[in-house]
Amino acid sequence: MKELLDMFITFAKVGVMTFGGGYAMLPILQREVVENKGWAEEAELTDYYAIGQCTPGIIAVNVATFIGYKKRGVLGGIFATLGVIFPSLIIIMSLAGVISAFSDFAAVQHAFAGIRVCVAVLVFNAVVKLWKSAVVDKLTLAIFLAVFAGSTLTNIPVMLFILAAGVLGLAVRSVRKGGEK
Amino acid sequence: MLYLRLFFEFFKIGLFAVGGGLATLPFLEEMADKTGWFTRAQLVDMIAVGESTPGPIGVNMATYVGFTTAGVPGAVIATLGLATPCVIVILLIAAFLKNFRENPLVKSAFYGLRPASAGLIASAGLSVLLVALFKNSPALRVDLLSLVSWNWKAVVLMAVLLYLTRYCKKTKKWHPIAFIGISAAAGVLFQFGA
């Protein structure tokens, strides 16, 4: 129970420090879950994001469920998820009265213009960390560049990139292994 | 009855919206038209609020829509409705992965998936960066080369943050939230918006 509570609190911390979509959660996860708690490795996070981006639902919830399940089974998955949604519930409900005015305040807009710069820098740093486990040879470099360019410049659904990359990985690996043997 | 319907409608979104928070948007638009719980104009406000409060955007939107529709219980029910299908689907996949993680086929698939995942995250980061570094302009693409359309304060902040998070030994190990706090303060102090 103590561990489940720890999981809830840790993910609530992650939730409250996330400004933006699931990608904005990555640098916080790296610090809290990988470095501080040691609940997952860098490479695993990349895997969870890969799956989270092509399965239904909110990526942040998907990734929390994965890590929670890995540490403490089904209950762990549920507690981690409840943790990550808890701050949103509290914050949105307590701001509800003033909320539509809230985002019009000049100070809020200025603050978030600053935060966006920071989130972009933190995500950049997070990708640099992922790089070591994800981009290991010429082919993976090519996949990274192709997906980066493709998803920046076109409206092709994300799921197609993920599926194509997975199939490519399977195909290339099995051909290589066949050659070695 | 309203609660049940609220849960069910958000359950559907959680089950069919693939690709994260803003992927729920077309579904919410449809919900606005179909149920009359809120208008499309309100939805625009909800996005602004979801983006300018802590927490993942998708969760924030569900909470806000639920709250607008049916108060505190509505907020809780809508959010749980959204999260439930994700949790079920992921638990199934995670259970499968647990048994097959060392399987050579699964390993090979992830060999290709990891760089794709990193590429997608980098692309999401870039789109945030573009919004942050340029002044609001309808013809963004055309203006990329014109110096006046850059938000120079944001460019300076970016350079400072890169230095603090990557090169400065003293601050490199600070918690990410410290940098977020500094950036929010800088934004207010130097009037970053608009």
Side-chain angles (χ1 to χ4, degrees):
Chain A
M1 193 62 217
K2 211 178 140 195
E3 225 183 335
L4 288 175
L5 203 66
D6 187 25
M7 193 159 272
F8 178 88
I9 293 169
T10 304
F11 274 93
K13 267 164 76 180
V14 171
V16 89
M17 291 187 280
T18 298
F19 292 83
Y23 58 87
M25 197 170 87
L26 181 61
I28 315 287
L29 278 177
Q30 281 176 334
R31 172 59 64 104
E32 291 292 334
V33 171
V34 177
E35 288 166 27
N36 287 357
K37 297 287 182 185
W39 288 342
E41 287 163 24
E42 209 71 61
E44 286 176 86
L45 277 191
T46 329
D47 297 349
Y48 298 155
Y49 268 82
I51 297 171
Q53 293 185 78
C54 62
T55 48
I58 310 296
I59 295 172
V61 171
N62 293 349
V63 175
T65 309
F66 256 123
I67 296 169
Y69 177 82
K70 189 204 156 201
K71 285 314 287 178
R72 282 301 307 267
V74 173
L75 268 184
I78 293 172
F79 270 76
T81 302
L82 289 177
V84 90
I85 64 179
F86 183 71
S88 297
L89 277 174
I90 300 301
I91 293 167
I92 299 276
M93 290 192 301
S94 47
L95 285 177
V98 289
I99 208 154
S100 44
F102 176 75
S103 44
D104 288 337
F105 286 138
V108 173
Q109 287 185 357
H110 290 312
F112 271 87
I115 287 175
R116 274 196 293 273
V117 178
C118 188
V119 167
V121 169
L122 292 176
V123 170
F124 171 74
N125 291 342
V127 172
V128 171
K129 279 190 195 168
L130 294 182
W131 186 270
K132 287 167 203 137
S133 59
V135 179
V136 291
D137 52 22
K138 277 182 197 155
L139 180 72
T140 42
L141 177 64
I143 294 178
F144 175 87
L145 292 175
V147 173
F148 176 67
S151 77
T152 305
L153 302 172
T154 70
N155 289 324
I156 300 170
V158 165
M159 203 195 321
L160 290 183
F161 288 117
I162 294 279
L163 283 177
V167 170
L168 196 63
L170 272 176
V172 169
R173 274 277 171 105
S174 40
V175 168
R176 276 188 196 162
K177 272 191 193 139
E180 279 166 20
K181 274 171 195 168
Chain B
M1 192 53 217
L2 174 64
Y3 294 148
L4 207 64
R5 207 165 149 219
L6 203 55
F7 184 87
F8 177 69
E9 289 291 338
F10 274 94
F11 188 93
K12 270 202 316 207
I13 294 184
L15 193 57
F16 293 116
V18 177
L22 289 181
T24 60
L25 202 54
F27 293 90
L28 289 173
E29 282 176 351
E30 197 195 311
M31 190 191 282
D33 295 344
K34 210 176 70 183
T35 64
W37 287 337
F38 49 90
T39 63
R40 283 193 178 218
Q42 274 178 300
L43 196 57
V44 176
D45 283 346
M46 290 173 188
I47 300 166
V49 169
E51 282 181 331
S52 51
T53 43
I57 295 175
V59 178
N60 287 350
M61 303 248 293
T63 307
Y64 193 29
V65 171
F67 188 87
T68 314
T69 313
V72 173
V76 176
I77 286 166
T79 310
L80 290 181
L82 180 76
T84 305
C86 318
V87 172
I88 295 172
V89 170
I90 294 296
L91 285 179
L92 291 174
I93 295 176
F96 169 84
L97 264 189
K98 200 178 170 189
N99 296 323
F100 294 96
R101 189 152 195 103
E102 294 309 313
N103 180 302
L105 283 180
V106 173
K107 276 191 166 174
S108 305
F110 275 115
Y111 161 79
L113 285 178
R114 279 180 193 159
S117 176
L120 288 173
I121 296 167
S123 169
L126 179 69
S127 53
V128 178
L129 187 69
L130 288 180
V131 173
L133 291 191
F134 292 96
K135 289 175 185 159
N136 296 334
S137 148
L140 185 65
R141 275 163 204 278
V142 189
D143 287 347
L144 284 185
L145 292 175
S146 126
L147 293 180
V148 282
S149 64
W150 287 72
N151 184 343
W152 288 105
K153 294 171 189 166
V155 176
V156 172
L157 178 64
M158 182 184 74
V160 171
L161 285 172
L162 277 173
Y163 172 73
L164 291 179
T165 55
R166 301 192 60 80
Y167 303 106
C168 176
K169 281 209 178 78
K170 261 187 189 165
T171 55
K172 222 164 115 174
K173 291 281 158 203
W174 283 5
H175 198 288
I177 196 68
F179 299 111
I180 291 178
I182 292 171
S183 309
V188 175
L189 206 61
F190 300 107
Q191 309 271 304
F192 267 39

